[in-house]
Amino acid sequence: MTDASSNSDATSPATDLPGWTHVYSGKVRDLYRPEPAAGARADRMLVVASDRVSAFDHVLSPGIPGKGELLTTLSLWWFDQLAGADGGRRIPNHLAATHALAPASDDAVDLVPAAVAGRAMVVRSLDMLPIECVVRGYLTGSGWKEYVAEGTVCGIPLPAGLQDGDRLPEPLFTPAYKAPMGEHDENISFARTEELVGAERAAQLRDLSLEIYRRAAATAEAKGLILADTKFEFGVDADGVLTLADEVLTSDSSRYWDAAAWAAGSTPAERMASFDKQIVRDWLAAAWDGQGTPPELPAEIVDRTADKYRELLEKLTG
């Protein structure tokens, strides 16, 4: 089977990996469990980032060449920062102690297989929570649309007079219920989050999400970037510890803006010069009415998006 890292077709199937069984594909990532006979620990999983790109809950075609490796590299960098490299307390994450970007040998079953080296992570199996933990530090996107109509973001009242792209008085935790692939995630209230996972766990999700956002925003600011918003996913490990999982603070899960452009800009487009997939969102919103199958992405949009993903990685990691 063709290695998905060399195939930007968004519909390409998951890669066939010796020693691992494919169990699930999301919009971007493919998930594998170790085969019993292969000798890997049963509590390990393999998360592989493809080149697929999604917008408005649809997987688009073609994908973004090299995207899977860029997302994985940035996630690993952020996991390292949040493990204490930024001077803050360690945030537990799902990476296995045996994780490596590339295999040490052809039969290293508990390491990333060569076919997906650079774009995969060996992780601990978690009991994943059905909450997408969104944190918004700036007013934009669907939040801006709701604010214009209701004066709120996800039901949270905001001061009058804010403009598209404005910094919010305080970062907002605006959770969503994670929908199955092909369906829309549902914005939910904090009270509904408590119903789904319990009051204590809901408070942990909120507090940890806001802590991570504030730390990441400070790191981004030092690099000349604004972290406008982001989303996290968490699971619970065998000891009951809330654990950061999946991707973290990538160009797919976050909005990053150029800080100098934001400060000098007089229009939303000038202020929100982005280093993420906003290019894809903007093009699709203008080219498609939301009915039927989304159109194919033009080569120019694919190339510009890939360039922005690379530029963000360079700005953050040096």
Side-chain angles (χ1 to χ4, degrees):
M1 187 174 292
T2 303
D3 180 356
S5 67
S6 61
N7 185 347
S8 60
D9 181 359
T11 63
S12 60
T15 305
D16 207 3
L17 301 176
W20 298 90
T21 298
H22 174 248
V23 294
Y24 176 77
S25 286
K27 297 183 184 75
V28 174
R29 283 165 180 76
D30 302 313
L31 189 64
Y32 298 78
R33 290 190 183 278
E35 295 175 356
R41 288 178 51 167
D43 62 350
R44 295 291 185 255
M45 302 197 80
L46 188 70
V47 180
V48 180
S50 74
D51 292 346
R52 298 189 295 268
V53 63
S54 68
F56 307 126
D57 291 322
H58 287 270
V59 177
L60 308 176
S61 182
I64 309 298
K67 175 174 174 278
E69 186 168 348
L70 290 167
L71 293 184
T72 301
T73 302
L74 188 53
S75 277
L76 291 172
W77 185 83
W78 276 116
F79 279 130
D80 187 47
Q81 303 308 300
L82 297 168
D86 65 349
R89 73 180 181 99
R90 180 183 179 276
I91 305 295
N93 66 62
H94 67 161
L95 288 177
T98 49
H99 167 80
L101 271 176
S105 64
D106 290 340
D107 59 354
V109 295
D110 209 26
L111 298 179
V112 172
V116 291
R119 61 186 182 93
M121 299 180 286
V122 178
V123 303
R124 297 180 291 133
S125 181
L126 303 173
D127 181 13
M128 295 300 294
L129 299 173
I131 305 298
E132 195 166 73
C133 295
V134 180
V135 180
R136 304 169 190 263
Y138 289 73
L139 184 60
T140 192
S142 62
W144 165 246
K145 292 179 182 178
E146 180 184 329
Y147 175 78
V148 170
E150 306 288 343
T152 61
V153 170
C154 294
I156 302 171
L158 291 177
L162 296 178
Q163 300 298 314
D164 193 4
D166 277 359
R167 185 172 184 170
L168 295 170
E170 292 290 339
L172 300 179
F173 176 68
T174 58
Y177 179 73
K178 291 193 297 186
M181 188 174 181
E183 298 181 20
H184 294 283
D185 293 337
E186 176 192 356
N187 290 336
I188 58 176
S189 66
F190 186 72
R192 177 60 178 148
T193 305
E194 291 179 316
E195 292 175 1
L196 289 167
V197 300
E200 182 178 358
R201 189 66 80 189
Q204 290 177 332
L205 289 172
R206 177 196 61 205
D207 295 347
L208 190 54
S209 296
L210 289 169
E211 177 186 346
I212 296 171
Y213 172 81
R214 289 188 173 101
R215 284 170 61 176
T219 298
E221 184 178 3
K223 307 282 187 173
L225 296 164
I226 287 173
L227 178 60
D229 55 42
T230 191
K231 59 185 177 181
F232 306 113
E233 295 193 30
F234 295 91
V236 179
D237 70 9
D239 297 321
V241 176
L242 189 63
T243 302
L244 185 61
D246 198 54
E247 65 179 323
V248 60
L249 297 158
T250 70
S251 322
D252 264 17
S253 66
S254 315
R255 281 187 176 92
Y256 286 95
W257 299 337
D258 182 276
W262 182 86
S266 58
T267 69
E270 291 171 340
R271 299 174 76 190
M272 294 180 280
S274 65
F275 297 91
D276 48 55
K277 65 176 181 180
Q278 192 62 42
I279 295 169
V280 172
R281 293 190 194 100
D282 290 345
W283 180 85
L284 189 61
W288 184 49
D289 63 3
Q291 302 299 312
T293 302
E296 288 212 351
L297 296 173
E300 177 200 4
I301 298 299
V302 171
D303 292 344
R304 286 174 57 200
T305 302
D307 288 345
K308 286 298 183 182
Y309 277 48
R310 285 191 290 269
E311 189 175 355
L312 175 66
L313 182 64
E314 292 165 2
K315 282 181 173 292
L316 282 171
T317 70

